[in-house]
Amino acid sequence: MSGVIGKPVNRVDGVLKVTGVAHYSSDIPLTNIAYGVAIQSTIAHGRITTIDTSAAEQLPGVLGVITYLNAPKLYQITFPQPGQPQSSAGNSLQLLQDEIIHHSGQHIGVVVAETLEQAEHAASLVQVTYEEQTPIADMLSVESQAFLPSKIDPLGKPLNYQRGDAEAGLKSAEVQIDQTYSTPTNNHNPLSPFATIAVWQDEKLTVYDATQWVHNVRMVLASTLGIPVAKVRVISHFVGGAFGCGLRAWSHITLAAIAARHVGRAVKLVLTRQQMYTSVGCRPQTYQKLRLGATRDGKLTAITHDNISPTSPFDEFIESTTANSKVLYACPNVTTTHRLIRVNATTPTYMRGPGESVGMFALESAMDELAYTLDLDPIELRLRNYAEIDPESELPWSSKSLRECYQIGAEHFGWAKRNKIPRSMLYGNTLVGWGMASAMYPVNRLPASAIARIMVDGSALVQSGVTDIGPGTYTVMTQVAAETLGLPISQVQFELGDTNMPDAPLQGGSMTMASVGSAVQAAANAVRGKILALAIADEQSPLYNVNKEDIVAEDGRLFLRQQPSLGETYSEILGRNQMTQIEAEASAMPGDEVKEFSMYSFGAKFAEVHVDMDLGMIRVARFLGVYGAGRIINAKTARSQMLGGIIGGIGQALQEETVMDKNSGRIVNANLGEYHIPVNADIGTIEHIFVEEQDSHVNPLGAKGIGEIGIVGTAAAIANAVYHATGKRIRDLPITLDKLM
Amino acid sequence: MNPFSYVLVTEMGMAASAIANPTAKFIAGGTNLLDLMKEGVETPQQLVDINHLPLERVEVQADGAVRIGALAKNSDVAYHPVIQERYPMLSQAILAGASAQLRNMATVGGNLMQRTRCYYFNDTVSPCNKRVPGSGCPAIPGYNRIHAILGTSEECIATHPSDMCIALVALDAVVHTQGPNGDRTIPIGDFHLLPGNTPHLETLLEHEEMIVAVDIPPLPFATQSHYLKVRDRTSYAFALVSVAAALEIKDSIITNARVALGGVATKPWRASAAESVLIGAAVTEETFRTAASASVRDARPQQYNQFKIELAQRTIVRALKQVAAMQGEVV
Amino acid sequence: MDIGKNQHMISEIKVTSLTPGIPFYGDPITLRVNGTEHTVYIEPRVTLLDALRERLGLTGTKKGCNHGQCGACTVLVNGQRINSCLTLAVMHIKQEITTIEGLAKGNELHPLQAAFIKHDAFQCGYCTSGQICSAVGMLNEGHATTDAQVQELMSGNLCRCGAYPNIVAAIQEAREQTRPCV
């Protein structure tokens, strides 16, 4: 059915989700299941001296307790492989192999029992004594220990970057901004706590998991347990949100697997909400020093962006905050650096808009400060530094609609009516502020595979081992397959989330559509080509010996474009050939275009905040995002994705902060009551505009990816609006009301 | 959770005998008790389910007081026409607390017994003088942004979490209890205890004693009252500061006033010093500021909650302005 | 779910009958869920949420926080929305419990379910059961008419994917077609 790509199609899995029938990994209905509960370290630094499991083991229903004293040997894995994100669990696995405690909340054991209640109670009875050392909880208390990371950034670019001479650029600048911007630890907090069900049968392991990458979980499990990859199957049909914390195979997955083997039963291990704060990574705190130099007329002469962020005692994770500072503006002199500090905490990881979202808070706040210093409109300042080519790679953009985003956004938002003077808009007790920021996120793509089958009943089944953490992957892949095969959506089933399906990369970095969508399109094209070849070669087919270029597919039927009556259905072709189905598998991967073009999504964000002038309460009353993100596959789910990104950005800007007690190294607000994420009442009017953009370079679908561009720039636009409203420049997120007192 | 036994009681006598077990606890809405049991903060060996006792009514008494049964659900009280009309601050306070679901579960008696949200109290790994007397207070040298500035001690700075109780304190409510030693009526101001050097003692309620009702005396000017809550998000968050305020105004002079504070004190905090300033004074911003300043005169801030001193004052002024405005007095 | 396995476990625990005034340790109790009576063998410490999910196999009701801080576990008891994680199953004998699985009439979706799909009022879908049950309860309560009122009275249901405006739109559309429901 041509034209289904781009339409606001309802989610194909919508009915399953609204009726409660969709099975997330903790919902799998297996019989004879036992319950695993993780035991975690209560101290942040030191070693276990004794573990007494006797009271736990004596409880009725308890099937086993595993600690480092009786755990099986686990193997470390060597990485990376192509496309492997840094810090993949495995090369840094810390799980029941010794008595060393690196952070509070580290898994130190697991209890398995007949019921969840028994397992939870038993876990609470395991007595652990420790030899405790003073933890490092506050990165800045040991700033002198900052070190240069040994690894490179995830895109393979050097972390520390230099073009031109930034110090000279600053010296020659007529105006300078020199500020420090900081952002706190954030936790992903998918609404579903991560859950794993592990089942061993005949030395084969099946794992139902909440993940963004089933093939990675399989590889990590196989390597860690020392068994062949072929003996491990990982299934993840529905994931209750992830936002990055499902990109790694965290150690609770392995814990479930060894627990299941230990008790000879299927084991369900669900992390508690509290455990989610220490078990699946976090967005690390950042401390960013940013300097801008500019001429009086607003041309940037230098940017320096130096980032410090924490990492765990045993691993390196780099929050790539400086990525956009190299490319967003046409500035000749740029230096960026990254340093890490080891603290007694879990290894951080990617969280929605990793690097870019916190880095852009700094860069785009600084640009707003520069605009005020120069008495220039913030959009005008950005236009004066508009990069016509990628200043880092010096490649042309595959497409760039940022100028249009600024312009359309300004018009739609009414930017021209803005009185730029801070505190100039007061209505009753409410200070109103308008702020804006740019957004930018790379177009990523990795190799992916898919298989497509056309059935004799005329329907199609398409599969790829990708996941759907919520963006609507089931739906958009169905659309791509339906359009390619010329079938109505109702005749196409897309299945995912199983390592028995063709390989797909991680669902992250906004790359699923580009990577897996291209593979689905390739597989659909391949199977369509196969069935067409059958017809063309068949004397009994009306399409015998026709030229395949003249054929189109529509409504499950292949026919001559110039003579639509000449054709036949998929069903007829397969039926006559006595075939129940025909299938083709295909892979798709990036080609030389990545050497020829620089590829990014761009956007402009506009925020209106209302601030109570006395009480400091901030509400984002209105928000507009305008995007140049290539081809939009589903106008309905795409808007939801942008909405989610912006609301995530509102949380990042105003509410979210994971706080660690500086003395104990324990997270004090590891719950949804005290770690605030936005509630329904927090949200004002949010609008989205997608700029029409045809980009034939990025990938066959022309889709740039929209998973991150919604959050990037959002916090900066809000912070800039808060400044405009109040005259207070808050450089430390979240902007809570006490900072406005 | 520890295993425990469960007893459903349908008469007061049954409740009295069931609670005689020293490790037993009453359960009604359960929203706070079960939360704490899951964390191991509360470890009763027996739960006595009192939900079927006939204590859920809201009735106007002959003397004009309104009697709220201990088992009345928070939502039923908040939306009760008599409460909305006579004591709007109470309705507003309840609706500012928790979520609609929790208000449908939580009872008035349970709300009176609600325990602090202090991070360290709720984390059984941490020392806590309230949970384990004598073990220490990590909140004082730790992260104390949400903690109290009023009524604190060297032993404890935990904030009382209730919204409802703030309005009840402003309204001079009276708590009725029944116990083995007979019936008691306890003024709400006495019901909750300051931590002092016994932070584990939070209320006057004794183990075998049950709250049966809360009376709110008639207070005609409470129709001109307001509850203002300041928090980190628009809804579903505990107060950083909250103010329950009522003013009686005649000829632009304040003839009577009630002010109570939440989010800043170790117990529901009646701001008597503010009331003293207000009563007899003219309705002016200066009056309100002076009253606000008086109410935090004894504040003792910690490292991360100093902002509450200023925020409390601003919130008091705003709440008073709003109550004055209801009576046509624009300040 | 396989109730038999749990029955095996419970048999080792003292069993007494559930009558007023008598302590209860572990016994068959009957829960009426979505119009059907289910007998389950559970200890008193089993929450209504865990009874639904782990004993009755009604996994549509979700556990997001287990502390009444997210709303994913919202169900209706006698038509009122509550957090099933903060109440015990034994406290709900003889009450009418409605979960997400009980809202559709056969293949005909409840108007709120249909409106949630139409307005794309979810992404990952994990909060959705709780959102929809909460919305049913909110409409039963009758205190929310405007968008702002709906936003406030739906604030007990967190959505990390950020579908809030779509949730409000779905509720407002379904309001007219929704009749009080137990």
Side-chain angles (χ1 to χ4, degrees):
Chain A
M1 186 83 22
S2 65
V4 76
I5 289 183
K7 291 282 169 3
V9 174
N10 285 343
R11 283 172 200 266
V12 298
D13 52 344
V15 171
L16 294 180
K17 287 182 174 176
V18 300
T19 55
V21 177
H23 282 150
Y24 299 79
S25 60
S26 59
D27 300 337
I28 307 300
L30 301 177
T31 53
N32 201 26
I33 206 158
Y35 292 82
V37 169
I39 309 165
Q40 298 193 312
S41 164
T42 59
I43 68 157
H45 189 196
R47 49 185 288 274
I48 298 167
T49 46
T50 63
I51 298 186
D52 180 359
T53 58
S54 56
E57 282 163 346
Q58 283 160 21
L59 280 186
V62 171
L63 301 169
V65 183
I66 310 175
T67 69
Y68 83 94
L69 297 170
N70 62 341
K73 175 170 169 51
L74 301 174
Y75 301 90
Q76 301 290 343
I77 325 166
T78 49
F79 282 106
Q81 298 195 344
Q84 190 72 45
Q86 57 181 332
S87 307
S88 283
N91 57 346
S92 56
L93 189 79
Q94 306 294 322
L95 187 63
L96 312 190
Q97 299 301 294
D98 57 35
E99 76 285 12
I100 307 299
I101 301 298
H102 301 282
H103 64 88
S104 179
Q106 178 181 326
H107 301 309
I108 57 169
V110 59
V111 173
V112 186
E114 293 279 356
T115 72
L116 176 60
E117 293 76 22
Q118 292 165 337
E120 286 174 342
H121 183 216
S124 74
L125 296 183
V126 173
Q127 299 295 318
V128 185
T129 58
Y130 302 93
E131 185 182 294
E132 199 170 352
Q133 289 175 261
T134 305
I136 298 170
D138 176 11
M139 166 178 86
L140 294 176
S141 70
V142 289
E143 196 180 339
S144 62
Q145 294 178 17
F147 65 95
L148 215 58
S150 62
K151 297 184 182 173
I152 55 173
D153 94 340
L155 295 175
K157 296 176 180 176
L159 274 168
N160 294 335
Y161 170 82
Q162 183 182 345
R163 73 167 174 260
D165 184 341
E167 294 305 326
L170 284 165
K171 270 199 194 107
S172 71
E174 292 165 300
V175 175
Q176 280 195 33
I177 299 294
D178 181 352
Q179 293 293 352
T180 300
Y181 303 86
S182 53
T183 64
T185 309
N186 285 168
N187 280 87
H188 308 71
N189 274 311
L191 211 65
S192 170
F194 276 6
T196 305
I197 296 178
V199 189
W200 290 88
Q201 195 166 22
D202 306 328
E203 291 302 304
K204 285 187 181 167
L205 172 64
T206 302
V207 164
Y208 301 86
D209 193 32
T211 177
Q212 294 171 252
W213 195 3
V214 289
H215 288 92
N216 184 54
V217 173
R218 176 172 70 171
M219 184 175 60
V220 170
L221 277 171
S223 311
T224 308
L225 298 169
I227 59 176
V229 166
K231 299 259 185 196
V232 182
R233 181 180 179 192
V234 178
I235 298 170
S236 191
H237 289 151
F238 290 96
V239 181
F243 313 104
C245 62
L247 290 171
R248 291 179 55 172
W250 299 98
S251 52
H252 67 274
I253 304 170
T254 306
L255 198 59
I258 63 177
R261 191 154 63 181
H262 185 81
V263 301
R265 293 263 293 270
V267 167
K268 180 196 297 202
L269 189 151
V270 185
L271 294 176
T272 65
R273 177 56 58 186
Q274 185 181 11
Q275 290 172 345
M276 286 292 285
Y277 287 78
T278 54
S279 307
V280 296
C282 58
R283 190 200 293 282
Q285 180 188 0
T286 69
Y287 188 74
Q288 307 175 52
K289 287 181 188 287
L290 211 136
R291 290 182 297 169
L292 301 178
T295 61
R296 187 47 69 188
D297 63 355
K299 289 289 285 179
L300 287 168
T301 59
I303 301 173
T304 70
H305 193 166
D306 302 296
N307 185 74
I308 303 178
S309 54
T311 194
S312 68
F314 48 86
D315 209 346
E316 289 183 14
F317 175 83
I318 299 133
E319 181 79 358
S320 54
T321 47
T322 61
N324 285 349
S325 301
K326 306 170 200 169
V327 279
L328 180 52
Y329 296 112
C331 175
N333 307 302
V334 178
T335 302
T336 69
T337 68
H338 281 266
R339 285 180 301 155
L340 294 177
I341 295 176
R342 294 204 186 275
V343 300
N344 290 105
T346 182
T347 309
T349 193
Y350 306 94
M351 179 167 163
R352 200 167 200 174
E356 280 82 359
S357 79
V358 282
M360 285 286 268
F361 163 66
L363 178 63
E364 289 296 272
S365 292
M367 285 295 280
D368 201 64
E369 298 198 47
L370 181 61
Y372 272 99
T373 307
L374 294 167
D375 197 23
L376 258 186
D377 180 85
I379 297 176
E380 178 57 29
L381 173 65
R382 286 163 173 86
L383 290 172
R384 289 188 189 180
N385 294 285
Y386 200 80
E388 301 292 350
I389 62 161
D390 179 339
E392 183 186 16
S393 65
E394 300 184 339
L395 292 173
W397 307 107
S398 65
S399 60
K400 179 177 181 178
S401 310
L402 181 57
R403 189 176 274 116
E404 291 81 353
C405 291
Y406 291 141
Q407 183 193 337
I408 292 167
E411 277 169 26
H412 192 83
F413 196 78
W415 188 255
K417 286 179 274 181
R418 174 178 181 262
N419 178 342
K420 67 188 173 196
I421 299 168
R423 292 183 79 91
S424 59
M425 298 201 279
L426 176 67
Y427 302 94
N429 294 312
T430 303
L431 289 161
V432 175
W434 289 5
M436 62 80 58
S438 316
M440 178 174 195
Y441 194 78
V443 178
N444 297 317
R445 184 180 173 194
L446 287 170
S449 307
I451 187 166
R453 296 186 184 89
I454 299 173
M455 308 298 184
V456 70
D457 66 1
S459 68
L461 174 65
V462 183
Q463 297 172 320
S464 177
V466 66
T467 58
D468 186 350
I469 58 171
T473 310
Y474 277 109
T475 309
V476 290
M477 296 304 162
T478 303
Q479 287 175 266
V480 170
E483 175 146 327
T484 311
L485 291 169
L487 282 171
I489 278 181
S490 59
Q491 287 288 87
V492 178
Q493 183 162 358
F494 179 76
E495 294 180 344
L496 53 67
D498 189 332
T499 49
N500 282 357
M501 297 174 186
D503 268 33
L506 66 160
Q507 182 164 47
S510 299
M511 70 171 90
T512 298
M513 200 67 240
S515 309
V516 181
S518 299
V520 165
Q521 188 187 44
N525 267 325
V527 74
R528 185 181 132 167
K530 267 174 115 169
I531 200 167
L532 178 59
L534 273 180
I536 290 172
D538 184 351
E539 289 179 19
Q540 294 174 50
S541 168
L543 299 173
Y544 178 59
N545 257 349
V546 299
N547 190 344
K548 67 180 180 188
E549 275 73 41
D550 298 335
I551 302 295
V552 292
E554 209 171 277
D555 222 1
R557 183 168 172 273
L558 296 166
F559 56 89
L560 272 179
R561 191 188 327 260
Q562 305 300 338
Q563 192 185 342
S565 60
L566 199 66
E568 62 177 335
T569 64
Y570 291 142
S571 251
E572 286 166 338
I573 299 170
L574 291 176
R576 192 174 54 248
N577 285 281
Q578 293 172 346
M579 295 168 75
T580 56
Q581 64 173 63
I582 186 165
E583 69 177 41
E585 186 168 341
S587 297
M589 61 200 70
D592 286 343
E593 70 275 4
V594 296
K595 295 179 198 146
E596 294 160 14
F597 296 99
S598 175
M599 304 174 183
Y600 285 86
S601 290
F602 292 92
K605 305 287 179 73
F606 295 82
E608 174 177 322
V609 300
H610 292 182
V611 184
D612 187 300
M613 64 179 294
D614 300 318
L615 308 180
M617 291 185 289
I618 305 169
R619 178 178 167 81
V620 180
R622 194 159 67 100
F623 199 96
L624 170 66
V626 189
Y627 310 97
R631 191 180 187 192
I632 299 304
I633 307 300
N634 183 322
K636 183 177 280 194
T637 56
R639 297 180 84 81
S640 294
Q641 236 182 314
M642 307 325 290
L643 184 62
I646 289 162
I647 291 176
I650 291 172
Q652 180 184 40
L654 303 180
Q655 299 174 346
E656 297 186 32
E657 179 173 16
T658 306
V659 179
M660 186 178 275
D661 181 271
K662 58 183 183 276
N663 301 307
S664 71
R666 284 178 70 75
I667 294 170
V668 298
N669 61 340
N671 60 71
L672 290 171
E674 300 294 346
Y675 180 101
H676 295 122
I677 65 170
V679 296
N680 204 321
D682 285 317
I683 304 307
T685 304
I686 299 177
E687 294 182 287
H688 325 276
I689 298 172
F690 291 101
V691 175
E692 189 74 29
E693 201 175 63
Q694 311 266 341
D695 189 328
S696 58
H697 304 301
V698 282
N699 52 61
L701 287 163
K704 286 183 169 179
I706 54 173
E708 335 283 327
I709 195 78
I711 194 170
V712 177
T714 296
I718 293 168
N720 293 341
V722 168
Y723 174 74
H724 182 228
T726 65
K728 290 207 167 87
R729 177 68 64 182
I730 308 301
R731 301 184 184 89
D732 176 40
L733 296 184
I735 308 173
T736 47
L737 57 86
D738 45 315
K739 294 177 186 172
L740 295 178
M741 280 294 110
Chain B
M1 269 189 270
N2 296 336
F4 52 82
S5 62
Y6 168 86
V7 190
L8 178 82
V9 296
T10 51
E11 298 163 20
M12 293 300 286
M14 288 163 65
S17 53
I19 202 68
N21 174 347
T23 64
K25 264 193 174 288
F26 291 126
I27 185 166
T31 53
N32 192 213
L33 179 59
L34 288 173
D35 190 21
L36 294 169
M37 287 169 66
K38 289 179 182 192
E39 293 303 320
V41 176
E42 297 270 16
T43 54
Q45 303 291 301
Q46 174 161 297
L47 286 185
V48 181
D49 181 350
I50 57 173
N51 282 294
H52 297 267
L53 298 177
L55 296 173
E56 78 290 354
R57 296 180 62 127
V58 178
E59 293 170 309
V60 179
Q61 305 289 97
D63 64 356
V66 175
R67 173 159 296 180
I68 303 171
L71 291 171
K73 301 294 188 193
N74 280 199
S75 50
D76 290 338
V77 176
Y79 290 117
H80 196 286
V82 171
I83 302 297
Q84 288 184 313
E85 185 196 327
R86 297 189 188 182
Y87 310 109
M89 65 156 72
L90 177 58
S91 176
Q92 291 162 8
I94 293 172
L95 293 177
S99 68
Q101 290 95 314
L102 291 166
R103 296 192 293 266
N104 282 343
M105 306 169 78
T107 63
V108 166
N111 199 323
L112 285 167
M113 299 302 292
Q114 197 181 163
R115 307 195 71 185
T116 182
R117 312 305 294 196
C118 171
Y119 314 123
Y120 304 93
F121 170 75
N122 284 280
D123 178 12
T124 51
V125 170
S126 297
C128 170
N129 289 324
K130 187 183 276 298
R131 190 166 23 76
V132 183
S135 61
C137 176
I140 292 172
Y143 189 67
N144 42 40
R145 179 173 178 269
I146 65 169
H147 288 76
I149 54 172
L150 292 166
T152 57
S153 71
E154 297 299 314
E155 312 272 323
C156 183
I157 58 169
T159 308
H160 193 276
S162 173
D163 291 296
M164 182 193 81
C165 292
I166 309 309
L168 290 181
V169 162
L171 293 167
D172 275 341
V174 175
V175 181
H176 293 271
T177 70
Q178 285 181 14
N181 302 321
D183 298 354
R184 286 207 284 173
T185 56
I186 306 169
I188 182 100
D190 299 337
F191 184 80
H192 297 101
L193 304 174
L194 288 171
N197 56 13
T198 54
H200 58 291
L201 301 177
E202 296 176 355
T203 70
L204 283 182
L205 199 73
E206 288 169 6
H207 171 68
E208 294 183 42
E209 202 173 11
M210 185 195 297
I211 301 169
V212 293
V214 176
D215 277 3
I216 309 178
L219 188 72
F221 75 93
T223 58
Q224 310 298 311
S225 67
H226 185 62
Y227 186 76
L228 177 59
K229 181 172 179 178
V230 180
R231 45 187 154 174
D232 279 321
R233 60 184 177 192
T234 311
S235 185
Y236 206 11
F238 288 92
L240 292 168
V241 172
S242 68
V243 176
L247 290 176
E248 184 181 60
I249 300 172
K250 287 187 183 130
D251 303 326
S252 295
I253 299 296
I254 298 163
T255 51
N256 210 339
R258 297 287 174 88
V259 182
L261 304 178
V264 290
T266 53
K267 62 178 265 186
W269 196 260
R270 181 73 172 266
S272 308
E275 293 174 8
S276 302
V277 171
L278 292 168
I279 294 169
V283 181
T284 65
E285 176 144 0
E286 181 60 28
T287 299
F288 294 166
R289 285 186 191 281
T290 308
S293 164
S295 69
V296 292
R297 194 175 298 134
D298 299 328
R300 288 204 307 181
Q302 308 293 327
Q303 183 179 1
Y304 296 98
N305 68 3
Q306 295 208 1
F307 71 96
K308 285 189 173 183
I309 295 177
E310 178 64 25
L311 182 63
Q313 295 179 77
R314 294 183 188 192
T315 311
I316 291 167
V317 171
R318 174 68 62 77
L320 291 170
K321 280 186 181 179
Q322 285 174 333
V323 176
M326 289 163 68
Q327 301 170 63
E329 298 277 352
V330 178
V331 176
Chain C
M1 290 295 283
D2 192 342
I3 291 164
K5 300 295 172 208
N6 297 320
Q7 189 172 7
H8 167 74
M9 177 280 299
I10 290 290
S11 66
E12 295 161 18
I13 296 173
K14 181 183 172 189
V15 175
T16 58
S17 60
L18 187 77
T19 45
I22 304 293
F24 169 71
Y25 293 98
D27 210 3
I29 65 163
T30 299
L31 292 174
R32 188 172 168 78
V33 187
N34 301 327
T36 304
E37 294 199 337
H38 303 263
T39 299
V40 286
Y41 292 79
I42 52 173
E43 297 177 82
R45 61 179 163 171
V46 178
T47 63
L48 178 58
L49 173 61
D50 288 329
L52 291 169
R53 287 183 52 81
E54 310 299 341
R55 306 306 203 284
L56 301 183
L58 292 169
T59 52
T61 307
K62 303 302 185 196
K63 183 183 282 187
C65 72
N66 209 23
H67 287 282
Q69 297 168 339
C70 78
C73 67
T74 304
V75 300
L76 299 157
V77 173
N78 296 337
Q80 277 212 321
R81 50 176 167 162
I82 66 166
N83 296 115
S84 62
C85 74
L86 285 186
T87 192
L88 301 172
V90 290
M91 294 164 69
H92 297 284
I93 296 162
K94 294 182 185 163
Q95 295 177 345
E96 197 68 45
I97 300 158
T98 305
T99 69
I100 191 70
E101 291 93 342
L103 291 181
K105 301 276 178 281
N107 285 331
E108 188 194 338
L109 295 179
H110 185 282
L112 276 163
Q113 292 174 317
F116 266 60
I117 295 175
K118 178 180 165 188
H119 290 275
D120 210 32
F122 52 88
Q123 288 198 61
C124 81
Y126 196 81
C127 74
T128 309
S129 304
Q131 298 278 0
I132 292 174
C133 285
S134 187
V136 170
M138 186 192 69
L139 293 176
N140 286 348
E141 289 157 12
H143 298 300
T145 308
T146 65
D147 285 2
Q149 289 166 335
V150 170
Q151 286 194 273
E152 167 59 29
L153 290 178
M154 286 298 292
S155 281
N157 291 85
L158 302 184
C159 170
R160 187 53 156 163
C161 300
Y164 296 129
N166 297 350
I167 290 167
V168 175
I171 291 170
Q172 295 296 47
E173 178 176 296
R175 162 190 302 286
E176 296 306 316
Q177 308 152 47
T178 304
R179 297 281 166 266
C181 165
V182 288

